[in-house]
Amino acid sequence: MQQENKKVTYSFKNDYSEGAHPNILQALVASNLEQQDGYGEDQYCHAAIETIKEKLQDPNVDIHFVSGGTQANLIVISSILRPYESVIAADTGHISTHETGAIEATGHKVNTIDVKDGKLSPKKIKNLLDLHTDEHMVKPRMVYISNTTEVGTIYKKQELKDLHQFCRENDLLLFLDGARLGSALCSSENDLTLAEIVKLVDVFYIGGTKNGALIGEAIVISNEALKTNFRFNMKQKGALLAKGRLLGIQFLELFKEDLFFQLGNHANQMALKLSENIIELGYQLLTPPQSNQIFPILPNKTIEKLKENYAFYVWSKIDEETSVIRLVTSWATKETAVEAFIEDLKKI
Ligand SMILES: Cc1ncc(COP(=O)(O)O)c(C=O)c1O
């Protein structure tokens, strides 16, 4: 990915360009001078956990709040795997490409699988398992997926059921990275609920950072065997925040009504408007537009013109004349900015 640093009118670089939803800031201010216990033992963390459990329709899960996605991934993976075990991920997966080797730094190999749409399937995983025959190789023990994927696609219920089934049959644990779960669940093509996800994976997390929170991810562990001593591992990795209230307050705001879903929906609506208009102008997208990340394929000359007013990442090269760009919308994306982008593209 190429980074663009020019001063531009509007940024479609990511979904963390803005701060936090005003409800969250107000809740932080309102609780500011209250004294609360530390390290996630405060009343807000407890209330947020109970509220999320209700949404998950599962009182038995363990929930832990951490500050970021890379942290969630490395804590989950390193706390679960034995030293010689590895994790399977798409080659586009966040842990494979964009975490500076954070997983490998904990001693676990990431086995990558080449995919076009960002998604893993039993067949692709089976091929990889077949290559790992004995103790002279790492032992694949976990499957890592993200919903949405790194290329903006989503997992349908049947796909997740198939992965669940395959993992059970092959003694693999299934971990879903939900940094953009809000967008995935609000996709017009989504047929999964939080309550279903919790039954189909061993562990997952609900992303706050990219869906209206200042910071924060909620790790949900449903597999009984993975729950023991999780907080020890969090503490050792520096993830047990003294002011854990900061995370509890935010997740309580996101889930006490349906703010989490409203914000995911807004981000998706803005991306949908962009993609519909881009397609109408005769351009194609790299992957189906299903969430708040879309990947239009544009002539390089058009990309250069757009860069004068907009910030975005150039994702990959198609050929000498054409490249893929990534446009990301967020809970705070202004519709007027989307309209201006479309008008400018029409003029080019
Ligand atoms: C799917 C996914 N997982 C994890 C992360 C990492 O999050 P953080 O930057 O908070 O470490 C990202 C960030 O872009 C992501 O897209």
Side-chain angles (χ1 to χ4, degrees):
M1 278 201 294
Q2 263 172 253
Q3 181 122 17
E4 306 297 331
N5 287 318
K6 277 186 267 167
K7 185 78 194 128
V8 291
T9 315
Y10 205 82
S11 173
F12 292 102
K13 271 164 78 171
N14 53 52
D15 34 17
Y16 41 90
S17 300
E18 297 91 0
H21 188 272
N23 289 10
I24 287 177
L25 287 183
Q26 274 157 23
L28 288 167
V29 171
S31 60
N32 194 37
L33 293 178
E34 283 171 14
Q35 291 189 313
Q36 291 285 336
D37 284 344
Y39 299 105
E41 300 288 7
D42 61 283
Q43 73 182 63
Y44 293 103
C45 281
H46 289 311
I49 286 171
E50 288 315 307
T51 306
I52 295 174
K53 281 182 176 178
E54 275 168 33
K55 300 272 174 200
L56 297 172
Q57 295 167 26
D58 189 340
N60 297 318
V61 292
D62 275 6
I63 299 179
H64 305 276
F65 300 115
V66 296
S67 61
T70 304
Q71 196 175 60
N73 287 336
L74 82 88
I75 287 170
V76 166
I77 294 170
S78 67
S79 77
I80 289 172
L81 297 186
R82 307 288 306 271
Y84 49 84
E85 290 174 340
S86 66
V87 54
I88 300 170
D91 57 350
T92 50
H94 207 266
I95 61 166
S96 322
T97 51
H98 291 130
E99 294 186 3
T100 327
I103 305 306
E104 288 89 342
T106 67
H108 302 285
K109 188 179 172 90
V110 179
N111 297 122
T112 56
I113 298 181
D114 194 10
V115 293
K116 293 260 174 304
D117 59 359
K119 292 197 263 184
L120 292 182
S121 64
K123 187 162 171 280
K124 290 173 195 160
I125 301 170
K126 173 86 172 64
N127 292 341
L128 188 135
L129 289 184
D130 288 348
L131 299 173
H132 290 77
T133 49
D134 57 42
E135 68 276 17
H136 295 269
M137 299 162 188
V138 291
K139 185 169 176 30
R141 170 75 169 124
M142 180 187 277
V143 172
Y144 162 96
I145 57 172
S146 73
N147 201 20
T148 67
T149 68
E150 279 305 291
V151 289
T153 49
I154 63 162
Y155 280 90
K156 303 284 288 193
K157 193 187 300 183
Q158 193 54 50
E159 291 170 324
L160 197 58
K161 278 186 170 174
D162 291 346
L163 281 174
H164 167 85
Q165 176 76 14
F166 180 83
C167 287
R168 288 286 164 279
E169 288 165 6
N170 289 278
D171 194 25
L172 293 166
L173 297 162
L174 186 55
F175 169 35
L176 186 149
D177 169 339
R180 293 196 173 90
L181 193 56
S183 174
L185 293 178
C186 294
S187 169
S188 58
E189 295 188 31
N190 173 59
D191 57 358
L192 274 165
T193 63
L194 275 174
E196 286 164 340
I197 290 175
V198 84
K199 291 190 175 59
L200 293 174
V201 303
D202 295 284
V203 50
F204 74 106
Y205 72 86
I206 303 171
T209 307
K210 296 181 172 69
N211 199 29
L214 268 182
I215 54 167
E217 323 292 312
I219 299 172
V220 181
I221 309 175
S222 48
N223 181 331
E224 212 54 46
L226 308 181
K227 292 178 179 173
T228 317
N229 297 336
F230 196 80
R231 275 169 62 88
F232 282 80
N233 201 52
M234 283 173 64
K235 178 67 182 174
Q236 197 175 54
K237 298 276 185 299
L240 209 53
L241 295 191
K243 291 183 185 169
R245 62 193 279 166
L246 173 66
L247 302 173
I249 290 167
Q250 295 183 85
F251 273 95
L252 188 55
E253 282 306 310
L254 286 174
F255 282 100
K256 72 178 185 199
E257 307 286 338
D258 274 332
L259 184 62
F260 182 79
F261 297 98
Q262 287 161 23
L263 300 185
N265 193 43
H266 175 81
N268 286 357
Q269 288 306 318
M270 293 301 98
L272 188 65
K273 188 163 179 160
L274 276 172
S275 59
E276 280 175 354
N277 280 277
I278 290 168
I279 291 167
E280 212 174 288
L281 288 171
Y283 299 113
Q284 290 185 330
L285 305 183
L286 182 71
T287 51
Q290 297 182 325
S291 66
N292 71 326
Q293 298 185 91
I294 59 164
F295 296 82
I297 303 171
L298 298 174
N300 293 338
K301 282 184 188 158
T302 306
I303 294 173
E304 287 310 309
K305 287 294 279 177
L306 284 170
K307 278 185 191 172
E308 290 171 12
N309 283 324
Y310 304 96
F312 49 81
Y313 287 105
V314 176
W315 187 255
S316 60
K317 184 175 158 177
I318 297 281
D319 55 37
E320 289 312 312
E321 269 99 51
T322 328
S323 300
V324 181
I325 65 167
R326 183 182 80 157
L327 300 177
V328 188
T329 53
S330 81
W331 60 276
T333 297
K334 294 194 179 91
E335 192 156 8
T336 48
V338 167
E339 284 160 359
F341 183 94
I342 296 161
E343 282 313 307
D344 282 351
L345 184 58
K346 276 184 192 160
K347 283 188 212 141
I348 293 171

